[in-house]
Amino acid sequence: MITKGMNKPLICCAAFAICLLVPIHAGLAFTNAPAIGESLPPFELPIPQDTRAQSYLGLSGTGQFTIAQIEAKVVIIQIFSMYCPVCQKEAFRVNELYRTIQKRKDLKDKIRMIGIGTGNTPFEVGFFQKKYEVPFPLFPDENLSIHRILGELRTPYFIGVKINRDGSDEVFYSRLGQFKDVNSFLKRIVELSGL
Amino acid sequence: MVSKKYGSILCMVGLLAIFSWGSAAHGRSDAYKENIYPVGKLKPTDSVLKVKVGDRAPDFTLPAVGGDKVTLSQYRGKKNVVISFVPAAWTPVCSDQWPGYNIAQDFFDQNDAILLGITVDNIPTLYAWTNQMCTGDETLWFTVLSDFYPHGAVAKKFGVLRSEGVSERALFVIDKKGIIRYIDVHDINKRPHLEDLVEELEKLNK
């Protein structure tokens, strides 16, 4: 039985629990998803050995790189999986986004796109890239290490990151699901990043 | 006693807790929204194989989602057959396995193979689940069979029926003579790599 004297602490607990639980369920909604206005949680990717991909990202040599080392003002990261039906369906539209950016003189040197294949092996990522003729670099996250760092995001998930002059980075877009329309998505990326 | 007002608050917290836990454990693809049942980490394997590589595959007939009945031996002398047992519809790893095979038909065609997907779920469940794997009006290119009744009988014949009544996550490659050429009873918590299956398919023609 709960007495009257216990009601206040009980309500405080209830309110605290609501504060904790609501963000978990709110659409965008991942406990540790990259937060807008904050730095991207740190992770590294292998420098691609394909010269075209190296040139696109402004990287050279071997070893690892961070997102902030990409030669661009804005990096759009697509978290995808070869096994994800929505990513399969949207592949052509994401390719179209890349081509639209490359055609825009004011954007083509400022925005770079990469994809990270959640739980996919290099073979699976390579297969996806070939199957859908993906023109931008894709990286496997076979052991799910980046998946865990980024808050176990579902796919597809898009993260927009600004690269600042001092070499730091800042997330300005972080959203689950397909973007449906290339032009409105790009417009939003340009507006939110301040390009 | 807790007043009505406080009771309502507690109910709200309870409901939020239920929904939040539901959303925390989901399939990785957004295709299934919040409809993937969280199964947690399971015992990696929980059955004893009744067949081995080199054996003739046990024959069976099962109903397909499309309405037909499919018998394994109908492919003898015509096609290599890959059987993909997955434990259950609407569960995390299974829901992200067959959509990968759905874009990999070329590997099967190049090696004169067909794919039979089998679970112990009933046809209506498989119909709803596999529809979520497709885009627009498309359907899966491969045949999906229901081993629902008698429950798990085919999984049992192969020795991949687990004690809780679902099958293992298992792959069998069967050649045109009906002989089993490859078996992978996989850790139920993990998805088999596509390249391992492709490698086995390519061996069929060597």
Side-chain angles (χ1 to χ4, degrees):
Chain A
M1 187 161 145
I2 301 171
T3 64
K4 206 175 177 183
M6 289 170 74
N7 286 343
K8 263 191 180 173
L10 196 70
I11 292 166
C12 288
C13 286
F16 180 66
I18 289 171
C19 291
L20 281 178
L21 294 172
V22 165
I24 298 174
H25 195 59
L28 302 181
F30 296 87
T31 321
N32 299 310
I36 291 167
E38 294 191 2
S39 293
L40 188 68
F43 63 86
E44 291 185 326
L45 293 166
I47 294 175
Q49 292 310 293
D50 171 48
T51 48
R52 195 163 159 253
Q54 277 196 358
S55 162
Y56 175 69
L57 299 175
L59 301 167
S60 59
T62 54
Q64 305 286 111
F65 73 97
T66 62
I67 297 301
Q69 288 174 312
I70 294 174
E71 203 174 288
K73 289 191 186 306
V74 163
V75 178
I76 300 170
I77 305 170
Q78 181 202 16
I79 307 297
F80 77 100
S81 168
M82 186 211 99
Y83 292 89
C84 156
V86 182
C87 307
Q88 296 165 3
K89 183 183 179 184
E90 194 172 58
F92 82 94
R93 201 177 286 124
V94 182
N95 290 349
E96 194 188 328
L97 173 67
Y98 169 87
R99 284 191 285 272
T100 305
I101 292 167
Q102 291 307 101
K103 278 181 197 161
R104 292 258 311 253
K105 284 182 182 171
D106 58 329
L107 297 180
K108 74 180 180 101
D109 295 326
K110 293 179 183 168
I111 304 179
R112 292 291 177 259
M113 292 174 61
I114 64 165
I116 298 175
T118 299
N120 292 173
T121 64
F123 179 92
E124 290 164 342
V125 164
F127 170 62
F128 187 88
Q129 186 142 30
K130 193 175 170 193
K131 173 99 186 167
Y132 295 104
E133 300 176 333
V134 179
F136 55 89
L138 302 181
F139 299 86
D141 178 25
E142 183 175 351
N143 60 12
L144 298 169
S145 58
I146 298 172
H147 175 68
R148 281 187 282 271
I149 289 168
L150 294 179
E152 304 193 349
L153 306 172
R154 268 186 280 169
T155 55
Y157 197 100
F158 289 89
I159 305 167
V161 185
K162 268 196 292 189
I163 313 289
N164 301 318
R165 284 184 183 171
D166 63 2
S168 62
D169 63 60
E170 183 186 327
V171 175
F172 65 89
Y173 186 94
S174 179
R175 199 172 189 85
L176 170 68
Q178 52 191 332
F179 55 71
K180 291 177 183 164
D181 180 73
V182 169
N183 290 323
S184 15
F185 177 76
L186 184 56
K187 192 178 168 206
R188 197 159 162 71
I189 289 290
V190 170
E191 282 169 3
L192 292 173
S193 65
L195 273 180
Chain B
M1 291 291 285
V2 182
S3 71
K4 271 187 181 174
K5 185 179 159 191
Y6 303 141
S8 307
I9 292 172
L10 284 174
C11 282
M12 206 160 89
V13 172
L15 283 170
L16 277 166
I18 289 164
F19 284 121
S20 299
W21 280 109
S23 68
H26 45 63
R28 291 200 196 106
S29 171
D30 193 40
Y32 309 98
K33 303 295 178 191
E34 307 298 334
N35 296 318
I36 297 299
Y37 183 78
V39 293
K41 191 166 169 61
L42 302 172
K43 188 178 172 186
T45 58
D46 183 32
S47 59
V48 179
L49 269 173
K50 290 184 182 165
V51 293
K52 60 182 186 306
V53 171
D55 286 355
R56 182 172 291 279
D59 201 18
F60 61 81
T61 301
L62 285 175
V65 168
D68 297 335
K69 291 212 168 198
V70 169
T71 299
L72 178 62
S73 57
Q74 75 188 58
Y75 299 105
R76 201 165 295 164
K78 297 172 189 160
K79 290 282 182 188
N80 299 305
V81 176
V82 176
I83 297 176
S84 167
F85 284 100
V86 296
W90 305 107
T91 56
V93 182
C94 305
S95 300
D96 278 346
Q97 183 174 344
W98 287 356
Y101 299 156
N102 198 36
I103 61 168
Q105 185 178 0
D106 288 352
F107 291 122
F108 291 83
D109 289 349
Q110 284 158 16
N111 295 290
D112 212 12
I114 58 109
L115 172 62
L116 300 176
I118 304 178
T119 86
V120 297
D121 299 287
N122 66 6
I123 291 284
T125 301
L126 287 173
Y127 173 79
W129 183 52
T130 54
N131 273 349
Q132 291 300 109
M133 296 178 188
C134 301
T135 55
D137 297 329
E138 294 169 8
T139 54
L140 296 178
W141 66 268
F142 55 88
T143 304
V144 172
L145 303 173
S146 166
D147 191 17
F148 180 68
Y149 190 79
H151 188 81
V154 174
K156 200 171 180 181
K157 268 188 184 181
F158 281 76
V160 291
L161 187 65
R162 292 169 65 98
S163 57
E164 69 264 42
V166 300
S167 76
E168 300 284 5
R169 185 177 315 289
L171 288 165
F172 293 84
V173 176
I174 299 159
D175 68 17
K176 289 179 187 173
K177 291 177 185 165
I179 304 300
I180 298 173
R181 299 279 294 273
Y182 174 70
I183 301 173
D184 173 15
V185 181
H186 214 75
D187 178 343
I188 195 169
N189 304 290
K190 295 177 180 171
R191 189 177 54 220
H193 295 158
L194 181 63
E195 57 265 44
D196 295 340
L197 179 58
V198 171
E199 195 180 314
E200 293 304 322
L201 284 171
E202 286 169 351
K203 280 184 194 167
L204 292 171
N205 297 323
K206 287 178 184 169

